[in-house]
């Protein structure tokens, strides 16, 4: 891409998570260990749901998609971050940066919408059990899954389209360990006030509305089961607690990053690390540890004799 004075920006220099080599080494070891332990667990969840004929309810299909989205999301940032920890010069091409932004928001937006779909599924199962099988039939589930993938794509392509129209003539130093909208926009050689507002509207407003809607939906569920049996209350409370934990892990950092003007704060990089690497890998594991059916299915799969 060329600016008016003919300068071409072909790459961005990533300043990284920290300039301290000791801290970089510590984070590298911790993230690598975490990555190697938790990531196979996500794939085990996907395999279990695919192979177990007893896990055919819509909830498990959505859980399998959550594990796939989170595992894919972690591949966008973590591997390159680990490699960059060992490199003196951390460089990413302009096209590579745009590609990273696209998939970051494509999968992130899809996951936010998936959590909305899962909340609707739990509402129907707990508050409208007689209508559940009619409303959440296989065709409806496929339509919802298609809609969330399409929604994530539209959300992301808007971000990328806006950035592609910005002129970049230098500097090219990104104060982060990966490419994301707030840092890239700051490097544009033009007034970005309107662009920042558009980005906050596209990312921040979407995130905030989903977050508030999800909290409201689980509040309704808890109110509706107040008069149910103790077993029903316990199951609903367990479901809501798990979902609310994931909501705060997913939306808390996203709201911090995207619902304010693009100004740098000291905590930005730490929040981004948890948002892009740690929490995505933890989400499916948290769901699984609190779901007796999936845990039992995983144990059966692991205990199967090898032919």
């Amino acid at each position: 891409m060329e600016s008016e004075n003919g300068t071409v920006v072909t790459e961005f220099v990533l300043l990284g998570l920290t300039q301290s080599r000791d801290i970089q080494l510590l984070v590298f070891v911790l993230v690598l260990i975490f990555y190697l332990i938790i990531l196979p667990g996500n794939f085990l969840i996907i395999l279990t749901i695919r192979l177990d004929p007893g896990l055919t309810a819509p909830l498990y299909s959505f859980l399998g998609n959550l594990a796939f989205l989170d595992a894919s999301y972690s591949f966008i940032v973590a591997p390159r971050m680990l490699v960059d920890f060992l490199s003196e010069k951390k460089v990413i091409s302009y096209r590579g940066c745009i590609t990273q932004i696209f998939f970051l928001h494509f999968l992130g937006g899809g996951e936010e919408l998936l959590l909305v779909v899962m909340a609707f599924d739990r509402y129907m199962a707990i508050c409208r059990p007689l209508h559940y099988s009619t409303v959440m039939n296989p065709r409806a589930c496929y339509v919802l899954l298609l809609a969330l993938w399409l929604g994530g794509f539209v959300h992301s392509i808007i971000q990328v389209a806006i950035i592609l129209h910005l002129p970049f003539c230098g500097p090219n130093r990104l104060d982060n360990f990966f490419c994301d909208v707030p840092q890239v926009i700051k490097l544009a050689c033009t007034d970005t006030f309107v662009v920042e507002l558009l980005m906050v509207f596209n990312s921040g407003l979407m995130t905030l509305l989903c977050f508030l809607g999800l909290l409201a939906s689980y509040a309704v569920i808890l109110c509706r089961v107040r008069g149910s049996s103790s077993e029903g209350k316990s199951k609903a409370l367990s479901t809501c607690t798990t979902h609310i934990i994931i909501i705060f892990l997913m939306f808390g950092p996203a709201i911090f990053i995207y619902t304010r003007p693009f100004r740098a704060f000291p905590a930005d990089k730490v929040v981004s690390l948890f948002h892009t690497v740690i929490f995505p890998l933890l989400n499916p594991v948290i769901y699984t540890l609190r779901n007796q059916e999936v845990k039992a299915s995983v144990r059966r799969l692991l205990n199967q004799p090898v032919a």
Side-chain angles (χ1 to χ4, degrees):
M1 47 178 304
E2 298 186 11
S3 65
E4 294 178 357
N5 62 8
T7 303
V8 179
V9 173
T10 59
E11 63 183 25
F12 294 105
V13 178
L14 302 174
L15 298 184
L17 185 64
T18 176
Q19 298 303 310
S20 170
R21 295 297 299 177
D22 292 337
I23 296 178
Q24 285 187 33
L25 181 60
L26 176 62
V27 175
F28 172 83
V29 173
L30 293 177
V31 170
L32 182 61
I33 293 174
F34 180 84
Y35 202 67
L36 294 178
I37 293 175
I38 303 297
L39 186 61
N42 283 357
F43 287 117
L44 179 61
I45 294 170
I46 297 172
L47 184 64
T48 300
I49 293 173
R50 292 281 296 176
L51 296 180
D52 194 328
L55 300 179
T56 56
L59 173 64
Y60 303 117
S61 175
F62 298 145
L63 178 56
N65 274 268
L66 177 69
F68 177 77
L69 277 170
D70 279 325
S72 302
Y73 193 83
S74 68
F75 275 119
I76 301 172
V77 175
R80 182 180 183 90
M81 182 187 71
L82 292 173
V83 172
D84 284 345
F85 276 142
L86 305 177
S87 305
E88 289 296 328
K89 190 177 182 182
K90 305 171 179 60
V91 176
I92 184 171
S93 68
Y94 173 78
R95 290 184 178 180
C97 183
I98 296 299
T99 302
Q100 191 174 61
I101 290 174
F102 171 78
F103 283 105
L104 198 68
H105 288 270
F106 173 41
L107 298 175
E111 182 170 350
E112 288 185 1
L113 295 175
L114 176 58
L115 292 177
V116 173
V117 170
M118 294 177 74
F120 176 71
D121 173 78
R122 290 300 85 199
Y123 172 80
M124 292 302 302
I126 296 173
C127 300
R128 296 286 188 272
L130 297 179
H131 302 283
Y132 180 77
S133 59
T134 303
V135 175
M136 299 302 293
N137 58 71
R139 182 178 179 181
C141 293
Y142 290 137
V143 170
L144 288 172
L145 289 173
L146 178 62
L148 70 89
W149 282 97
L150 182 61
F153 176 81
V154 172
H155 161 71
S156 182
I157 207 68
I158 292 173
Q159 306 271 74
V160 170
I162 294 175
I163 292 177
L164 287 176
H165 283 83
L166 293 176
F168 292 93
C169 53
N172 66 338
R173 296 166 68 86
L174 279 173
D175 189 18
N176 211 337
F177 56 93
F178 69 104
C179 282
D180 200 6
V181 173
Q183 291 77 32
V184 173
I185 284 182
K186 291 176 186 176
L187 301 182
C189 303
T190 185
D191 183 7
T192 60
F193 177 74
V194 175
V195 175
E196 290 184 21
L197 289 181
L198 289 174
M199 292 298 189
V200 169
F201 179 81
N202 185 31
S203 290
L205 186 61
M206 171 186 171
T207 301
L208 186 60
L209 289 178
C210 287
F211 176 72
L212 295 177
L214 287 167
L215 290 184
S217 67
Y218 289 116
V220 170
I221 292 174
L222 291 175
C223 290
R224 290 297 298 270
V225 299
R226 184 177 300 171
S228 303
S229 63
S230 58
E231 181 181 353
K233 284 183 180 179
S234 177
K235 186 173 182 179
L237 181 61
S238 177
T239 300
C240 291
T241 301
T242 304
H243 286 219
I244 290 171
I245 290 173
I246 301 300
I247 288 170
F248 277 99
L249 291 182
M250 174 71 187
F251 287 92
I255 290 172
F256 178 82
I257 295 170
Y258 298 115
T259 59
R260 57 180 171 81
F262 295 154
R263 298 174 184 173
F265 285 89
D268 282 352
K269 292 183 181 180
V270 176
V271 173
S272 295
L273 175 65
F274 280 91
H275 182 56
T276 58
V277 180
I278 306 299
F279 291 157
L281 294 174
L282 279 179
N283 290 347
V285 175
I286 293 173
Y287 267 110
T288 302
L289 291 178
R290 296 183 63 89
N291 189 295
Q292 298 300 325
E293 290 83 1
V294 177
K295 283 198 295 184
S297 183
V298 169
R299 282 194 290 266
R300 287 196 300 270
L301 181 65
L302 294 176
N303 291 332
Q304 282 183 357
V306 180

